[in-house]
Each structure stands twice: as structure tokens, then as C-alpha cells.
Amino acid sequence: MTTTTAIRLTPRVSLVIALAAFLGLVAFFWPFVVAPGKFGSNYAPPLIFGVLLVLVLCVVLSEIAEGGISSKALAMLGVLSAVNAALRPLGAGTAGIETVFFVLVLAGRVYGPGFGFTLGCTSLFTSALITGGVGPWMPYQMFGCAFVGMLAGFLPSATGRREVLMLATYGSVSGYLFGFLLNLSFWPFSLDPNSSIAYLPGLPFTEQWHRYLAFDLATSLGWDTGRAVTNFVCILLAGPAVLTTFRRAARRARFRAPVRFTQAGPIADDMP
């Protein structure tokens, strides 16, 4: 076994997460869906989608809780959220180095996609409160990390060095994808409209897409590369030990172990 389902995904919870993922993609790709100024202000679309993401995350987390999250899984979630919140200030800010993703990838791998999705949300929320990073960008960061943790739980089965190498590669790719998605949330407002890589409402999708690719490569490639390299190195070096620790904790916790009641034996009568 390479994964241990810490949070059970019922059909209803799976449907809610699928719908949330769809809305999340719409929220990230809003520049190709809604033109700035459509709601009366250039900054209205990302703010509206940010509020919607918060509401969707609340619904998803409530559905997960109702679907069955044990006290053991909740305790593990709290511990790892605190660990990630403490790790994030150590890396964010220099050459794109991020120390929060490798724990998220490894935990999603061991404890399943539901746990990875929830941990991505709670980790970024907790670290934002600690570091003062609360703002309109926070829902997008939470959703991006939720995707990273959830997809790690869907990776194919592997063991030993192959598993570690697969996770390291995924961590590297997810570092680029995270930056690619986050840039979409503010791209329309970050450049002079006269720039050749700026967002221009009304352009055909293909030309708009080419402009965004050029913007991402020109402004974010170096930063995303720092994140990708950090993820790869951290998972490659710490992955074996962390995976062993997580799986040992999962075996001892027995998250999904059924509860059985046994009939008590007769009570001895010590009375003379």
C-alpha cells in the first residue's frame, strides 16, 4: 500500500470537490472568460471569484467533515498545517524558494487526495495569518495548494526509489503549474496595456494565450524554477524518511479501522 485514506471521499464529497475544481479553474482562467470592467470595475472579477472560492472551500471542507474525518485525521491535519505554516517563512521570498510544498506532496501521497486537498487549504490559510499574507490573492493560493496536495494522492502506485523519483518529478512540475495558475489571477492589472505581453480584452483566444505565455516566461520563469528545484531537492533528500514516518503514523493511527464491540464476559461475584 502506498496510500492510506485518512479522509473518506464519499460520492457526494467527490462530486462537490469536482465541482469546486471546475469553479476553481474558471476563477483562475477568468481573464479568458470575463473582460475587466464587465462588473463595473477592472478589479471586480478577481475579487468576485476570490469570494466565490472562499465559499466553495467552506462547502468542500464542511462536506469532507460530514463525510467522515476522524479525530486522528483531524489531529494529523492540525499538526501538518502547523508544520507547513512554520516552514513557509523560511523559504518564501528569495529566488522563488518555497519550503511548504514538499510536505504537502508527501502527505497527499500517503494520506490520500481528500487529505491533500484539505491540507493545502489549511496550510496556506494558517501561514497567511502568521505571516500577514491575508489578501485577495489568498483564496487563489489556497486553491492552488489544494490542487497540488489532491493530485499527489492520485499518482500511480510505485515503491522505493521509483516512488521518490516520481514524487520529486511531480513536485517540480507542480511548482511550475502553481506559478502559472497564480499569475493568471493578476496578469490583467500588472502591465501597461501598450505592452506586447499585456492583457487586452477582446483579442482572440489564441493571441491572448500567446501573450500570457510570453508574460509568464518573461516575469515568472526564474521564480517558478526556484520553487520547482526546491521541491525536487527536498523530496529527493527528505522524501524516504518523511514517507516512512507518515506511513508509520498511519499504521498506528489506523484511520479507517472499523469499530467492533465485543461482548463482555460474566462479572465475577466475589461476595461470600
Side-chain angles (χ1 to χ4, degrees):
M1 288 290 292
T2 57
T3 60
T4 300
T5 305
I7 297 178
R8 183 168 57 93
L9 294 181
T10 63
R12 189 174 74 172
V13 173
S14 300
L15 177 61
V16 170
I17 290 181
L19 294 175
F22 174 75
L23 181 58
L25 290 177
V26 172
F28 278 114
F29 286 88
W30 74 264
F32 302 100
V33 180
V34 180
K38 201 77 173 181
F39 298 106
S41 169
N42 286 344
Y43 297 95
L47 293 177
I48 291 174
F49 282 122
V51 173
L52 286 177
L53 286 183
V54 172
L55 295 177
V56 168
L57 288 174
C58 291
V59 172
V60 172
L61 296 180
S62 65
E63 287 288 342
I64 288 176
E66 184 179 346
I69 177 170
S70 65
S71 58
K72 299 174 184 177
L74 190 61
M76 180 64 71
L77 183 65
V79 169
L80 293 183
S81 297
V83 169
N84 263 348
L87 286 175
R88 193 182 183 196
L90 301 179
T94 306
I97 296 174
E98 291 276 3
T99 51
V100 71
F101 284 90
F102 83 97
V103 174
L104 185 59
V105 170
L106 297 176
R109 172 65 172 177
V110 174
Y111 298 126
F115 189 92
F117 184 94
T118 310
L119 180 62
C121 296
T122 56
S123 294
L124 263 292
F125 180 76
T126 305
S127 64
L129 294 180
I130 293 177
T131 60
V134 178
W137 55 84
M138 188 180 70
Y140 294 94
Q141 291 179 337
M142 291 171 63
F143 229 98
C145 285
F147 280 147
V148 172
M150 179 181 68
L151 293 178
F154 288 120
L155 292 176
S157 177
T159 57
R161 294 182 178 179
R162 287 184 57 192
E163 181 184 30
V164 175
L165 182 59
M166 177 185 67
L167 292 174
T169 303
Y170 168 75
S172 181
V173 173
S174 66
Y176 285 108
L177 290 178
F178 180 82
F180 184 85
L181 289 176
L182 263 294
N183 287 342
L184 281 168
S185 64
F186 63 85
W187 169 48
F189 319 115
S190 57
L191 294 174
D192 184 344
N194 296 321
S195 171
S196 60
I197 59 176
Y199 174 75
L200 288 181
L203 288 181
F205 174 82
T206 53
E207 187 174 348
Q208 203 79 274
W209 183 252
H210 290 157
R211 281 173 169 260
Y212 178 68
L213 290 179
F215 167 81
D216 186 69
L217 291 175
T219 63
S220 184
L221 180 61
W223 190 275
D224 294 341
T225 299
R227 183 189 301 112
V229 171
T230 303
N231 292 347
F232 187 87
V233 172
C234 287
I235 294 175
L236 205 61
L237 296 180
V242 175
L243 288 172
T244 301
T245 302
F246 283 173
R247 286 178 174 137
R248 184 184 298 117
R251 285 195 299 269
R252 293 182 177 179
R254 301 181 65 195
F255 293 114
R256 309 310 306 173
V259 178
R260 293 188 177 90
F261 297 95
T262 58
Q263 185 176 1
I267 301 176
D269 189 358
D270 296 333
M271 295 293 292

